[in-house]
Amino acid sequence: MLPLLPAYLENGSLDDRVLGLVRFGRSTSLSEGVLTVALPSLGAAKTEVWRSPVPVMRGERSGIAFAHNGQVLIGAVISNDSDIEAAARKTYEAIVRVARGEGYPFLLRVWNHVRDINSGAGDAERYKHFCAGRHESLTAAKLQNHEFPSASAVGMVDGELAVYFVASRSAGRQVENPRQVSAYNYPREFGLRSPSFARATVARFGGDEIAFISGTASVVGHETRHLGDTTAQLEETIRNLERIVTESGATTDAVRALKVYVRRDAKAEAMTSPLQSVFPAASLLVVESDTCRRDLLLEIEAIAIR
Ligand code: 3EB
């Protein structure tokens, strides 16, 4: 069995063993099952490909393009609604409906891309509206805090909302980071509705255990650390990653994929070698994007396998 891991490639195309294919570019679209998100890649890798060990079944329902293989379903959806709260609400309603309808009711991992994620002041920030819409749909679908999927939520420069996700036939195990307040318990200053995600989810497929580590940043407790200092934020983020990897039952050697989101003015080249020395087996995808807090200069997600 191939483990459920993404490959970060220069290019790629769909065939009958591809569960999901995402391109990182300058515009946002969903066409013929291929999602393109407006997050320019800063390296050679521009495509995320999820291969299946067995042929997949492909479909489309409620605006979601998906493929499944008997174990997992990977779906992609975009919304062109400029009301980001409504876009998030409808998108998450559709995700839950399709995941359950196709027989993959457990959301393991969700990637969220929000245009101009930091625009708007205070509670009017687009990210906070996104959080409100997501929260409303997930709680309407009867998900408890400890059932939220792992996630990332970052900015993009075109479109309104683009989301892709991995859902499973059997439940994953949610893992939190003791160095950090659980996002769903963030205090009121971070918005009327807390961000609905787990720090990690661990799933078992055949003999493999896969840990999906959420977008991780320089947050300790609930506070951003090291304002304006990219190097120190990277170091703090690595400490958070090491801890959540350990809490997930994996090791730093078992981290196989890292996606790095960096703000325009952060130095992306300086991140590669510290990351490769801590996570020697990881392949890297580096993209330019905003993060969900103005003061976070970078966010890093990971996938580990055992
Ligand atoms: C943080 O630790 C950084 O809203 O889905 C990371 C991962 C972050 C996911 C989300 C937000 C999300 O709070 C931000």
Side-chain angles (χ1 to χ4, degrees):
M1 282 288 270
L2 280 174
L4 182 72
L5 273 177
Y8 299 140
L9 307 172
E10 275 185 50
N11 220 323
S13 57
L14 283 190
D15 62 43
D16 73 343
R17 288 176 190 236
V18 173
L19 279 162
L21 198 148
V22 181
R23 296 204 169 106
F24 295 86
R26 303 212 160 262
S27 60
T28 295
S29 64
L30 178 60
S31 163
E32 313 273 321
V34 174
L35 178 66
T36 302
V37 286
L39 265 75
S41 166
L42 295 173
K46 293 175 168 45
T47 313
E48 177 176 330
V49 184
W50 294 81
R51 293 198 70 81
S52 166
V54 295
V56 302
M57 298 273 293
R58 225 172 270 292
E60 187 170 339
R61 265 179 58 200
S62 302
I64 297 184
F66 60 82
H68 56 85
N69 68 356
Q71 276 189 323
V72 288
L73 177 148
I74 295 185
V77 53
I78 64 177
S79 169
N80 296 315
D81 192 336
S82 62
D83 176 344
I84 187 63
E85 188 166 333
R89 187 170 7 87
K90 290 180 213 155
T91 296
Y92 272 81
E93 264 168 30
I95 288 172
V96 169
R97 188 179 330 121
V98 169
R100 289 179 177 169
E102 297 296 322
Y104 299 82
F106 300 100
L107 288 179
L108 297 178
R109 180 53 164 105
V110 186
W111 289 265
N112 303 286
H113 311 84
V114 178
R115 183 199 32 93
D116 291 337
I117 191 165
N118 300 131
S119 75
D123 282 347
E125 189 184 28
R126 280 171 60 81
Y127 173 62
K128 300 202 173 71
H129 281 293
F130 163 81
C131 284
R134 171 175 60 179
H135 186 269
E136 191 180 328
S137 288
L138 290 180
T139 51
K142 300 276 185 284
L143 264 80
Q144 309 285 318
N145 286 350
H146 64 270
E147 297 169 319
F148 291 150
S150 52
S152 44
V154 297
M156 64 176 179
V157 291
D158 178 54
E160 296 295 339
L161 175 64
V163 178
Y164 64 100
F165 62 95
V166 178
S168 172
R169 286 226 193 271
S170 49
R173 174 165 55 87
Q174 271 66 11
V175 182
E176 292 299 305
N177 188 335
R179 303 185 80 230
Q180 301 182 300
V181 173
S182 294
Y184 45 77
N185 291 330
Y186 277 171
R188 170 69 184 86
E189 63 194 277
F190 294 97
L192 209 46
R193 287 284 172 259
S194 301
S196 314
F197 71 97
R199 296 292 177 190
T201 45
V202 180
R204 177 166 283 287
F205 298 110
D208 294 322
E209 220 172 45
I210 310 213
F212 295 98
I213 311 293
S214 288
T216 301
S218 179
V219 173
V220 178
H222 57 75
E223 284 172 345
T224 300
R225 290 284 168 90
H226 318 296
L227 297 179
D229 185 339
T230 308
T231 307
Q233 286 205 8
L234 176 63
E235 288 165 359
E236 197 70 68
T237 301
I238 290 174
R239 283 193 283 279
N240 279 332
L241 285 169
E242 290 176 314
R243 186 63 190 269
I244 188 68
V245 164
T246 308
E247 293 289 320
S248 300
T251 59
T252 51
D253 294 344
V255 172
R256 301 283 292 274
L258 288 170
K259 196 193 292 170
V260 186
Y261 303 92
V262 295
R263 283 190 186 266
R264 185 185 285 270
D265 32 6
K267 297 151 271 157
E269 328 77 59
M271 311 213 175
T272 316
S273 76
L275 283 169
Q276 294 277 227
S277 70
V278 179
F279 306 105
S283 68
L284 241 67
L285 176 61
V286 185
V287 296
E288 182 181 294
S289 69
D290 292 339
T291 61
C292 67
R293 285 189 196 181
R294 280 164 222 230
D295 51 16
L296 290 174
L297 303 172
L298 59 117
E299 178 177 320
I300 303 173
E301 65 186 42
I303 301 176
I305 190 155
R306 311 191 292 152

